[in-house]
Amino acid sequence: MKGSVDLIETFGLVDGPGIRTVVFLNGCMLRCKFCHNPETWHKGELNYSSDDIVNKVLRSKPYFKNNGGVTFSGGEPLLQYDFLVECCKKLKNENIHIAIDTAGIGYGDYSELLNNIDMVLLDIKHINKNGYIDITQMDKIDDFFKFVDQLNNCNVEVWIRQVIIPDVNDNEEYIHNLSSFIKENIHNVTRVDFLPYHKMGEEKYKKLGIVSPYKDKLAIDTKKCEELYEIFKKDYEN
């Protein structure tokens, strides 16, 4: 079986614990206004076999030590479900820690995958339907909750990722509601990260001839993002 891979990054340090190999799979149903990987929206050429992925990861295994591993990102890795499951099963046989970075938007039954991974980096786009549609330009929040329901029924560690965007969710009301949303809806959460909105994808949009929906929006002030995280942390821990 082959999959469509945009990029394989070695020595990744921000996509899960430890040193990781990050596999960026192509294809995504969402069109998030803050997306910095628009080149991964479409599936494209089937250019890697599952054995290719495994061999690539194994070459970096000596650097993983106790807490590193592989992370499948994208795009949306769930859209190449069969290929992803095949890769994960083979990597699990090699005792590799496996994470997926996902918005939870795939085709429905994720049980086989969730039984063969260790961690989910779960991207929260917004906590209500109208906000979700505005940011992603798609009506898919119900699909997100279907994924979360299955995730809650398995013993997989969860890290939450929330992009903080100026004049969208960079306010105390959203942060308080986010805290309640996570506590009420998502199990096994061991970490929550706020990711500051940035402009690093702008050149990609230009090269692809796409107008960025946030072309006029400035990157968020990192100090404000840190202040909002402190508010969230106090809320979440109480």
Side-chain angles (χ1 to χ4, degrees):
M1 185 180 296
K2 285 194 171 185
S4 177
V5 178
D6 178 69
L7 176 70
I8 299 178
E9 177 185 294
T10 55
F11 293 92
L13 298 173
V14 295
D15 295 286
I19 296 171
R20 309 190 72 78
T21 297
V22 186
V23 182
F24 293 88
L25 298 180
N26 288 316
C28 187
M29 293 184 188
L30 305 180
R31 293 295 180 266
C32 298
K33 292 179 178 179
F34 58 77
C35 180
H36 60 276
N37 291 327
E39 74 279 10
T40 66
W41 287 349
H42 303 290
K43 189 174 178 181
E45 178 188 0
L46 301 178
N47 53 355
Y48 275 81
S49 71
S50 58
D51 286 338
D52 292 335
I53 299 295
V54 172
N55 291 334
K56 184 82 171 177
V57 173
L58 288 179
R59 285 199 287 272
S60 296
K61 187 176 181 180
Y63 302 101
F64 295 160
K65 298 184 179 179
N66 294 326
N67 60 349
V70 60
T71 299
F72 289 94
S73 186
E76 173 52 72
L78 295 181
L79 294 186
Q80 295 192 55
Y81 186 79
D82 292 337
F83 176 70
L84 182 60
V85 169
E86 185 172 292
C87 290
C88 290
K89 284 183 174 180
K90 291 179 178 180
L91 289 165
K92 186 57 63 179
N93 287 336
E94 299 290 345
N95 199 31
I96 302 291
H97 182 279
I98 304 168
I100 62 167
D101 182 357
T102 177
I105 307 301
Y107 297 116
D109 182 4
Y110 309 106
S111 55
E112 190 173 13
L113 174 66
L114 293 171
N115 286 330
N116 284 282
I117 64 174
D118 303 286
M119 174 178 284
V120 167
L121 311 179
L122 185 62
D123 301 324
I124 293 183
K125 306 302 182 180
H126 203 281
I127 58 178
N128 66 54
K129 187 163 189 163
N130 289 337
Y132 188 98
I133 292 172
D134 177 65
I135 286 176
T136 67
Q137 305 184 82
M138 297 289 168
D139 185 0
K140 292 287 185 180
I141 196 169
D142 292 339
D143 296 69
F144 168 81
F145 280 116
K146 288 176 184 177
F147 176 79
V148 169
D149 284 344
Q150 294 181 48
L151 178 60
N152 286 341
N153 288 321
C154 65
N155 189 30
V156 172
E157 184 179 0
V158 178
W159 286 12
I160 299 291
R161 291 179 149 187
Q162 171 71 73
V163 178
I164 303 298
I165 309 163
D167 304 318
V168 175
N169 58 8
D170 62 335
N171 58 79
E172 292 190 25
E173 180 182 5
Y174 182 86
I175 298 305
H176 290 308
N177 290 335
L178 175 65
S179 172
S180 299
F181 176 86
I182 295 171
K183 287 194 283 189
E184 292 170 7
N185 292 285
I186 306 170
H187 302 169
N188 301 321
V189 176
T190 60
R191 175 168 166 167
V192 178
D193 290 328
F194 282 10
L195 308 180
Y197 170 73
H198 58 71
K199 305 288 284 183
M200 289 189 284
E202 288 296 302
E203 287 303 314
K204 294 180 181 180
Y205 281 91
K206 291 176 182 177
K207 288 179 180 178
L208 292 169
I210 303 171
V211 177
S212 168
Y214 281 168
K215 64 183 178 64
D216 297 322
K217 191 176 288 294
L218 299 177
I220 194 167
D221 180 273
T222 54
K223 184 177 179 181
K224 182 174 184 179
C225 193
E226 291 166 0
E227 290 171 353
L228 290 171
Y229 183 78
E230 288 305 312
I231 293 170
F232 170 85
K233 188 177 177 182
K234 290 177 182 177
D235 239 21
Y236 190 71
E237 291 176 350
N238 291 333

